[in-house]
Amino acid sequence: MSDNTNKNREYANLPLHVYAAGKQPGIVKTLLTIAKEFPAAHSLGYRFAKRNIKARYTQSILGIVWALLPNIAIAAVWIILNNNKIVTVSHTGGNYALFVIIGIMLWAVFTKAVLTPLQIIDSNRGVLVKINFPREALVILSFYETLFNAVITLIVIVASMIYFQVPVSFSSLLFFPTLFLLNIMGLCIGTLLVPVSVLNKDINFLLPTFLQFAMYLTPVVYAQTTSNGILQILSLNPVSPVLTIARNFLLGIDSPISWIQLIIVTLVTIVLFIAGIIIQRFAMGILIERMGS
């Protein structure tokens, strides 16, 4: 029996959804429905992600290098500026080149996670209108695509640490959960913005520009030291502690860690991510109607 026949049978067994304006089920019932449909959504989302990633780098000689090159170029610019004393960045706790490479790569993981849910919804408008499937599959698709991006970003980070001969300690292992948290934070924001982006496409143009500006409001290429003046406002940025702690764990920088702040950011991210999935499910009827008009 061919693979296509198996796939057709699998798709035929997917639950039927009727999206229409009107009375919506409660939050608990919606959560139970999402949980019940999760295996089918996961299977489909994983297939989509595998197909997209494979297709993206097919017939490309450099392959995943294209995904890394823009961020390597940005890091190189900051390293050159700092080495030539055009811009002097201090208090980084070690080698600035490695400091800025890791910072840029972590920021790239976050921004990719923010933008991916919006890009996936935008590129699948036709499919959403015409084909019946669990819409949470697109959230799963976003998760795997951003996870793949985080993994290839690790290649640059590991290669840089080997080049600069940075020793790895036990605390370096804590880098991975904080990297995962940074990825989920981005996905959370992107998922919450999906309904807005469908109703108003301006958000798709505004968000990349805002994220470029936001990089300089986050300690990506500089170290956050004291919180005086404008830095008090910057300290409210929820991405700052996660990115800083992740980098400090990896480089073994001895700096006070606000575990309470990290735990609060983690809990808020989990709650908002689940809320984003529920909101997306509630809004799907209106969104599909708008896409089809």
Side-chain angles (χ1 to χ4, degrees):
M1 188 177 293
S2 68
D3 290 341
N4 287 335
T5 303
N6 289 330
K7 288 178 183 177
N8 290 335
R9 286 188 175 180
E10 184 178 340
Y11 296 155
N13 292 328
L14 291 174
L16 175 65
H17 295 268
V18 178
Y19 294 99
K23 187 178 179 181
Q24 297 283 354
I27 293 177
V28 175
K29 188 175 180 181
T30 302
L31 271 175
L32 291 175
T33 305
I34 293 173
K36 183 181 176 183
E37 296 175 357
F38 180 78
H42 178 270
S43 174
L44 198 57
Y46 179 75
R47 286 173 185 271
F48 282 160
K50 194 174 175 182
R51 178 205 62 186
N52 287 358
I53 293 169
K54 187 176 179 181
R56 186 172 303 143
Y57 300 110
T58 300
Q59 298 180 335
S60 171
I61 296 175
L62 295 181
I64 62 172
V65 174
W66 290 117
L68 302 171
L69 206 55
N71 299 311
I72 293 174
I74 296 173
V77 168
W78 279 96
I79 293 168
I80 293 171
L81 291 175
N82 189 69
N83 288 346
N84 289 280
K85 310 297 182 186
I86 299 172
V87 175
T88 304
V89 181
S90 57
H91 306 294
T92 58
N95 187 308
Y96 178 73
L98 188 56
F99 178 91
V100 77
I101 288 172
I102 295 174
I104 293 286
M105 292 301 158
L106 290 175
W107 181 253
V109 168
F110 173 73
T111 54
K112 175 71 176 176
V114 173
L115 296 173
T116 296
L118 281 70
Q119 293 168 344
I120 285 176
I121 286 289
D122 193 49
S123 61
N124 287 281
R125 284 172 177 261
V127 178
L128 279 166
V129 173
K130 296 176 182 175
I131 300 179
N132 162 46
F133 65 94
R135 309 312 188 194
E136 286 72 27
L138 298 182
V139 179
I140 303 294
L141 165 60
S142 301
F143 171 76
Y144 278 113
E145 286 218 5
T146 56
L147 189 64
F148 175 79
N149 178 67
V151 170
I152 61 175
T153 299
L154 278 174
I155 296 173
V156 177
I157 294 176
V158 172
S160 302
M161 293 189 67
I162 293 173
Y163 178 79
F164 290 107
Q165 299 180 344
V166 177
V168 178
S169 63
F170 178 76
S171 66
S172 301
L173 298 177
L174 296 175
F175 166 79
F176 295 100
T178 46
L179 173 65
F180 185 76
L181 174 59
L182 200 62
N183 193 41
I184 296 297
M185 284 180 72
L187 272 178
C188 170
I189 296 172
T191 304
L192 286 170
L193 290 175
V194 161
V196 183
S197 71
V198 173
L199 298 176
N200 189 335
K201 279 193 171 183
D202 286 338
I203 193 75
N204 292 331
F205 299 105
L206 175 65
L207 197 56
T209 305
F210 172 77
L211 288 171
Q212 287 182 349
F213 174 71
M215 188 184 87
Y216 299 101
L217 301 178
T218 310
V220 175
V221 296
Y222 60 87
Q224 188 169 354
T225 51
T226 57
S227 297
N228 295 320
I230 193 171
L231 289 179
Q232 285 184 323
I233 300 175
L234 300 185
S235 65
L236 299 176
N237 180 352
V239 182
S240 298
V242 181
L243 189 145
T244 301
I245 289 172
R247 184 167 49 196
N248 289 351
F249 278 144
L250 194 59
L251 296 179
I253 297 174
D254 188 15
S255 177
I257 296 175
S258 176
W259 289 103
I260 294 178
Q261 191 178 14
L262 189 61
I263 291 171
I264 290 174
V265 170
T266 304
L267 293 177
V268 170
T269 299
I270 293 172
V271 171
L272 288 181
F273 188 44
I274 295 173
I277 295 173
I278 295 173
I279 291 171
Q280 190 169 304
R281 166 65 73 113
F282 280 150
M284 195 53 72
I286 300 172
L287 299 181
I288 290 179
E289 183 183 6
R290 176 62 68 90
M291 291 175 191
S293 62

